[in-house]
Amino acid sequence: MVTTNTTAQSARTNNGARPTPVQYAHIVGWGMAVPETVMTNDDLSAIVETSDEWIRTRTGIRERRIASDHESTATLGLKAAQHALEVADVLPAEVELVICATSTPEHIFPSAASLIQAWLGANNAGAFDLSAACSGFVYGVNIAAQAIRSGSIRTALVVGSETMSRVLDWSDRSTCILFGDGAGAVVLKASDVDGGVLSAVLRSDGTGGDLLGIPTVGSLDIEGVTEISNGHKFGKMHMNGGEVFKFATRVIGDSLTQAAQQAGITLADIKLIVPHQANARILHAAARNLKISDALFMSNVERYGNTSSASIPIALCEAVQQGRIQPNDYIAFVGFGGGLTWAAMVVQWGSPQVTAGTSNFINRQRRQLSYRLAAWRRTLLRASRSIGSSFARLRPEHGRMDRLKHKAEQHPFE
Ligand code: ACO
C-alpha cells in the first residue's frame, strides 16, 4: 500500500503542463546483484601501468566487481530482478513488461530481457533490451512508467545489467580502470495514489558518438559510420575521457533542473540525487555547478566503479538499505553516457520501507515455483521443438520438398 503526505504534495504545484495520468507509476521493488570477485586498484596495477593512488585521486574508485565464467549480463540481471520481485511481493506472472538496459548483452538477439523474462517465468510480459549506454536505466524507467501511466499495463520490471569486463581493452589504462560488472532492477506498479515517477528529461546528441563507444558487426567498412569506429578495436570500448568529463558535468545540472521544473518542484525539494556512478570528481563538479552539497549525491563508485546502466539501480538499492530515502521524499535519477545520451527523472518515493524477507510467505513459494517451472518449460519446449523437426523430416511432403529442391538444383532455369 502506497501512502502519501499532504505536506510533500503541496510542495509540488501542477502548473498545467502535464495531463493527469490514468494511473501513477510507483517504484515498489528494488534489487541488485554483483559478482563476488573483487578487483582492487592494486590488482589492476599488475595488469597496466597505473597505481591505486592515481585511480583513487582521479576517479574515487578503489575496487570493482568482475563477472566469473558462469555469470553474464542476463544471469546478473535475473538475480537483481528476483530480489526486486521479492521486495515488491509481485509474482512473475503479474509482470507485463521487461526492459533490460544494457550495452553488453550476450547476443544482439535474443535480448537479455527475453532471457530474464523466460527464466523468471514472466509469461505475460513483453521484453526488449534498451541501448542508451549509462543513461539506459532512466530511459527504461520512463518508458515503463509511461506505459503504466497511460493505463496500458499495470506492472513492469526494469533491469540495468552489464558485464563491462568483457568489452574492456585490458591494455588501455585510460578505460579499463574505470568499469565494473553488476546489475540492478526495479519493479514499477500502477497505483491510484499520486506520486511515483513525476517527470523525465531524455536527451541525445549523436554528434558526440565518436567520444565513447564499442564498435560491433554493423560498423565495419560503412561510409559515414567508420569515421566513428575507425581505428578502434572491434568489440572493445574506447573513450575520450576528458571530453566525456566536460559533457557530463554540464548535462547533469541542466537536466536535473529541467526534470525538477517539469515535476513542479525545485532542486531544494529533492532529498537525494541518485546519479550514474562514473567518477567522484564529476559529481563534485556537478554539485559545485548546481551550488548544492556533495552529500546530496548518493555515491558508491568507490566500491563498484562505473557499472554503466546498472550503476543507478545499484546505488538506489544501497540508498534504501542505508535509510537515505523515506516515503514521500522527492528523489532524482540522472544518467549520462555513450550516444551521447543523458537523462534525468524526479520520483516521489511512495513505497513503504519494505525490507527483503517481509514479503508474503505463500507468494515467495509461488515465485520459487515459477522459477522452477520456467526451467522445466524451457527444457520441455526445446525438446518438443527438436522432436517436432525430426518428425517433419519423415513426412511425405518433406520428401516432396527435397525432390523439388534437387530438381531446382539440377535444372536451375526450368
Ligand atoms: N594510471 C596512470 N596514469 C594514467 C592513467 C592510469 N590509469 N590513465 C591515464 N593516465 C595518464 C595519462 O596518460 C596522462 O598522462 P600524460 O599527462 O603524461 O599524457 C595523465 O594520466 C592525465 O590523463 P587524463 O586523461 O588527462 O586524466 P584525467 O584527469 O582526465 O582522468 C579519466 C581521466 C579518469 C578517464 C577522466 O577523464 C574521466 O573520468 N572521464 C569521464 C569518464 C566517464 O564519465 N565516462 C562515463 C560514461 S561511460 C559510458 O557511457 C559507458
Side-chain angles (χ1 to χ4, degrees), residues 199-249:
S199 68
V201 173
L202 309 186
R203 296 286 185 271
S204 170
D205 176 8
T207 63
D210 55 327
L211 298 180
L212 71 166
I214 306 172
T216 183
V217 278
S219 68
L220 300 176
D221 301 326
I222 312 285
E223 206 182 320
V225 175
T226 42
E227 67 187 33
I228 290 177
S229 49
N230 234 359
H232 298 300
K233 285 188 188 166
F234 182 78
K236 296 294 171 198
M237 175 165 196
H238 64 88
M239 179 174 71
N240 178 334
E243 287 301 318
V244 174
F245 195 104
K246 283 187 262 172
F247 146 75
T249 48

Side-chain angles (χ1 to χ4, degrees), residues 299-346:
S299 175
N300 60 7
V301 70
E302 187 183 13
R303 282 175 294 117
Y304 303 118
N306 179 342
T307 55
S308 192
S309 68
S311 84
I312 294 176
I314 290 176
L316 174 69
C317 285
E318 295 203 335
V320 176
Q321 275 162 18
Q322 292 165 15
R324 295 187 67 181
I325 306 176
Q326 299 302 325
N328 299 307
D329 280 354
Y330 292 110
I331 63 166
F333 301 145
V334 60
F336 50 87
L340 300 170
T341 57
W342 62 104
M345 167 175 282
V346 171

Side-chain angles (χ1 to χ4, degrees), residues 48-51 54-55 58-59 103 133-134 164 173-174 177-179 212 237 239-242 244-245 248 276 278-279 281-282 306 308 336-338:
V48 284
E49 201 184 327
T50 189
S51 66
W54 192 97
I55 301 173
R58 299 289 177 126
T59 71
S103 302
C134 306
M164 298 302 290
R173 67 178 181 174
S174 67
I177 54 130
L178 297 170
F179 295 90
L212 71 166
M237 175 165 196
M239 179 174 71
N240 178 334
V244 174
F245 195 104
H276 169 46
N279 182 326
R281 278 166 55 218
I282 291 180
N306 179 342
S308 192
F336 50 87

Side-chain angles (χ1 to χ4, degrees), residues 16 44 63 85 102-103 116-117 157 164 186 221 249 290 294 396:
L44 266 167
E63 58 188 41
L85 290 177
T102 185
S103 302
I116 294 168
Q117 168 273 316
L157 173 69
M164 298 302 290
V186 293
D221 301 326
T249 48
L290 284 168
D294 281 23

Side-chain angles (χ1 to χ4, degrees), residues 30-111:
W30 44 89
M32 60 177 273
V34 290
E36 272 183 22
T37 306
V38 174
M39 183 183 268
T40 64
N41 292 343
D42 284 336
D43 295 334
L44 266 167
S45 62
I47 301 172
V48 284
E49 201 184 327
T50 189
S51 66
D52 173 55
E53 205 262 336
W54 192 97
I55 301 173
R56 265 191 301 104
T57 52
R58 299 289 177 126
T59 71
I61 301 167
R62 286 177 188 272
E63 58 188 41
R64 70 286 294 143
R65 301 299 179 96
I66 303 293
S68 72
D69 291 346
H70 308 294
E71 288 169 315
S72 72
T73 293
T75 68
L76 290 169
L78 172 72
K79 279 192 191 163
Q82 288 175 332
H83 288 306
L85 290 177
E86 199 64 30
V87 171
D89 197 15
V90 160
L91 299 174
E94 292 175 65
V95 176
E96 292 164 280
L97 180 63
V98 180
I99 300 174
C100 183
T102 185
S103 302
T104 51
E106 290 85 343
H107 316 98
I108 291 173
F109 58 82
S111 65

Side-chain angles (χ1 to χ4, degrees), residues 61 64 92 112 121 161 228 241 277 288 296 354 362 373 389 397:
I61 301 167
R64 70 286 294 143
S161 186
I228 290 177
Q277 307 287 312
R288 203 180 47 225
L296 205 59
V354 190
I362 295 173
L373 284 175
S389 50
E397 61 270 32

